């Protein structure tokens, strides 16, 4: 009897898979296709984190089961290798980021291979490969040609320590998402991508895909569609200026007691009276220093200043004061609001602070008032803000609008109709989604392939000249002038205009990290193609991705960006499907022992290499799945690995020590355990519930350990069920039981169960109910 020697076994089967290209995805196979995708890693200098294999193992299990079920599986892996750490390392050491990247990619590849993932390595690439980013640049040029890329001087978020512009989405709680540094507003000319043009499609098409509900909701919230009306207010004393506000609650017009402009609103200067002019200028200067978040957070103290001017409420010609306050953002809606303090929390706080009238125009719904413990009289007297439903009161005017007694929905409709007929307003839709700031002033990114000519303006680099390679630079440091280090490379910057041949200069900004990951799933389909992003027939065969798993932190940005690019590529006939991913799931994080985030500073980082060295890849994989429900965070527990280690040894002894005999009859208990194990694994793998199947496998192995001999089909079934989880030991045991040479378990059929063996439960319940043993 041989000992379980995982080192030999794992090395042997990894070499076998590599030599035989076992996991090669076959283009145009007759089998049904299954495209299974995990988010590719950034190859950091720290090597693989134990968090990475959680997602990879889960989808590897799925991919392996699908192969056993007869699918032609594409399960690729690559590297998202542009990024700040390599660049920061270059700044420190002078070593070119491409050298660091290559080294890190090699290490990551070795680590991933040591875990036995069934990736088709022939399709691997890095986003920093010129053959790849050539096409990233090509896509940018197509966006430019369709008017979806434009340059604009924008107030942007500028990270003071990364010295680069950031997209709104990269600013978290007022700080840089990457370095947690301070962010301020700067006016810088930036390349922008018009993702807002796709806002409706990005929202509506969520109905076509099978994403987890919480992921759909996050996408929808990020896009943030609001329906309401634009309403125009005349300004007292001005005949040809008016203020248009966006409101989601036109029904509350009778409760508008003042109006607020954002400090940046274009009319502020014009309407401010002389008496108020100093106070207003002062206020505007202060507001400019604050972030959007500081300005709009409910908890922050409201600030503002009176402009001296009055607006005229279009429904009753009432004069209401116009204030300037920074809780109104210039970048949303029209940058101006009508304030309804009785029914809007922020307006209420403002009115209380500045002693402005509060007029209740909704009779609260009594049950609701009870449940939120609000006194109805307080609401009616304007002492408390009522933000829920109710019946309109105090809402009629001599101008002919009367919505008293109406419910909110109906009152909204009626008011909007009235405004439309009077030419004073119209229905309007707004999105939270902003255009995508696509410029970065850093070195280690794809150069934006554009040339600026005095006469011709911005001209794309001719496609035959792509890729625009990153030139060698002497210094990698970002500059503080808002330009990338490329700007210092005179020879590179000076070029000629592709259109007119006159002297011109290159764009020196680079693309953000999100660029390369916005279309990588397409390139796996045809990674070596030098004529197009991928061959159309191949795209038609493989797309869409059937299942995409990644981190919850990527469900807003990366997911939205890649959906946007795919939709654009679909619209220009480059890809066959409008949505890139049929299904999207996310995994929870792996935390350190004790439940804290793993980090170098906490000293609680688990190195996967050490676990593999001590216990083997199969135990590591099983443990990563056993650790807890896949979609939830789970804490590492070194002791927990011992249990998995024992299970693997027990499985080994079951198959290697028991005499294996074909065609012996199984008893009821054995049939029940075996078939319920098949049933459970069959459905659980399909839903990525991957912790409990391992317990079930343990029950199954324990059951058959009880008997002197092991039936051969049982042995094979158990090995087949184990194979997706612990593929190395499964290969070894399979070749032992079946005495095969040079043959793999990878394409052996997945076991099937028979319901008739599963009714043991019902019999047991009957026995209990009757209280008698039969
Ligand atoms: C009057 C009103 C009465 C409002 C009421 C709400 C409740 P969402 O749903 O996020 O689209 N608003 C409009 N533009 C704004 C801006 N630039 N900065 C800050 N606030 C702005 O919110 C739309 C509502 O937010 C609008 O409807 C407006 O206030 C405010 F009982 O108008 B509402
Ligand atoms: Zn020119």
């Amino acid at each position: 009897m041989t000992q379980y020697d995982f080192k030999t076994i794992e090395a042997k089967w990894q070499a076998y898979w590599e030599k035989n290209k076992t996991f090669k995805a076959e283009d145009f196979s007759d089998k049904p296709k299954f495209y299974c995708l995990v988010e590719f890693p950034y190859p950091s200098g720290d090597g693989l984190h134990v968090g990475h294999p959680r997602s990879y193992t889960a989808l590897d299990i799925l991919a392996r089961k699908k192969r056993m079920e007869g699918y032609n599986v594409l399960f690729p892996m690559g590297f998202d290798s542009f990024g700040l750490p390599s660049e920061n390392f270059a700044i420190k050491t002078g070593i070119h980021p491409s050298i660091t990247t290559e080294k890190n990619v090699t290490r990551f590849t070795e680590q991933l291979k040591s875990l036995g993932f069934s990736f088709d390595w022939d399709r691997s690439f890095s986003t920093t490969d010129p053959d790849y980013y050539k096409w990233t640049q090509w896509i940018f040029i197509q966006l430019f040609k369709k008017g979806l890329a434009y340059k604009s001087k924008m107030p942007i978020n500028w990270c003071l320590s990364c010295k680069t512009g950031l997209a709104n989405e990269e600013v978290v709680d007022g700080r840089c998402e990457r370095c947690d540094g301070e962010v301020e507003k700067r006016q810088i000319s930036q390349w922008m991508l018009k993702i807002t043009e796709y806002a409706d499609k990005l929202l509506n098409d969520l109905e076509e895909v099978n994403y987890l509900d919480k992921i759909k909701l996050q996408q929808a919230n990020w896009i943030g569609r609001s329906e309401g009306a634009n309403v125009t207010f005349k300004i007292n004393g001005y005949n040809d200026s008016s203020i248009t506000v966006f409101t989601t609650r036109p029904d509350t017009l009778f409760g508008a007691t003042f109006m607020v402009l954002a400090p940046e609103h274009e009319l502020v200067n014009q309407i401010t009276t002389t008496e108020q002019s100093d106070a207003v200028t002062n206020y505007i200067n202060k507001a400019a220093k604050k972030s959007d978040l500081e300005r709009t957070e409910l908890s922050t103290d409201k600030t503002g200043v009176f402009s001296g001017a009055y607006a005229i409420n279009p429904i009753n010609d009432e004069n209401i004061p116009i204030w300037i306050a920074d809780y109104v953002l210039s970048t949303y809606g029209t940058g101006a609001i009508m304030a309804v303090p009785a029914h809007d929390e922020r307006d209420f706080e403002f009115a209380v602070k500045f002693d402005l009238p509060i007029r209740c125009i909704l009779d609260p719904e009594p049950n609701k008032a009870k449940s939120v413990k609000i006194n109805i009289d307080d609401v009616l007297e304007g002492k408390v803000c009522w933000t829920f439903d109710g019946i309109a009161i105090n809402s009629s005017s001599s101008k002919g609008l009367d919505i008293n007694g109406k419910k909110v929905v109906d009152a909204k409709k009626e008011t909007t109709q009235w405004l439309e007929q009077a030419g004073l307003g119209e229905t309007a839709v707004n999105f939270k989604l902003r255009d995508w700031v696509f410029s970065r002033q850093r070195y280690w990114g794809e150069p934006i392939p554009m040339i600026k000519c005095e006469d011709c303006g911005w001209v794309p680099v001719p496609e035959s000249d792509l890729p625009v390679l990153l030139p060698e630079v002497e210094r990698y440091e970002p500059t503080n002038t808002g330009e990338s280090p490329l700007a210092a490379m005179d020879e590179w910057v000076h070029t000629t205009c592709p259109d007119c041949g006159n002297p011109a200069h290159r764009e020196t900004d680079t693309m953000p990290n999100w660029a390369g990951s916005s279309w990588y799933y397409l390139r796996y389909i045809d990674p070596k193609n030098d004529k197009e992003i991928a061959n159309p027939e191949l795209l038609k065969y493989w797309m869409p991705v059937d299942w995409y798993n990644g981190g919850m932190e990527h469900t807003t940005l990366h997911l939205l960006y890649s959906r946007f690019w795919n939709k654009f590529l679909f619209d220009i006939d480059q890809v066959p499907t409008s949505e890139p991913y049929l299904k999207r799931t996310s995994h929870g994080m792996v935390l350190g022992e004790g439940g804290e985030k793993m980090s170098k500073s906490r000293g609680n980082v688990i190195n996967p290499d050490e676990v593999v060295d001590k216990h083997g890849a199969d135990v590591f994989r099983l443990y990563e799945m056993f650790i807890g429900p896949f979609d939830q965070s789970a804490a590492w527990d070194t002791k927990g690995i011992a249990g998995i280690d024992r299970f693997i040894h027990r499985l080994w002894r079951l198959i290697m020590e028991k005499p294996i005999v074909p065609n012996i009859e199984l008893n009821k208990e054995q049939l029940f355990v075996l078939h319920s194990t098949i049933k459970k694994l069959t459905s659980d793998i399909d839903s990525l519930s991957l912790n409990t199947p391992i317990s079930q496998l343990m029950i199954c192995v324990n059951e058959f350990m009880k008997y002197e001999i092991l039936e051969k089909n049982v042995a094979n079934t158990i090995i087949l069920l184990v194979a997706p989880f612990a593929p190395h030991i499964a290969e070894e045991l399979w070749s032992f039981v079946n005495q095969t040479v040079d043959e793999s378990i990878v394409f052996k059929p997945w076991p099937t169960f028979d319901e008739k063996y599963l009714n043991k439960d019902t019999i047991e319940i009957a026995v209990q109910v009757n209280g008698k043993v039969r």
Side-chain angles (χ1 to χ4, degrees), residues 453 456 497 500:
C453 166
C456 312
C497 172
C500 71

Side-chain angles (χ1 to χ4, degrees), residues 166 305 384 570 595:
L166 302 173
V305 61
V384 175
F570 176 73

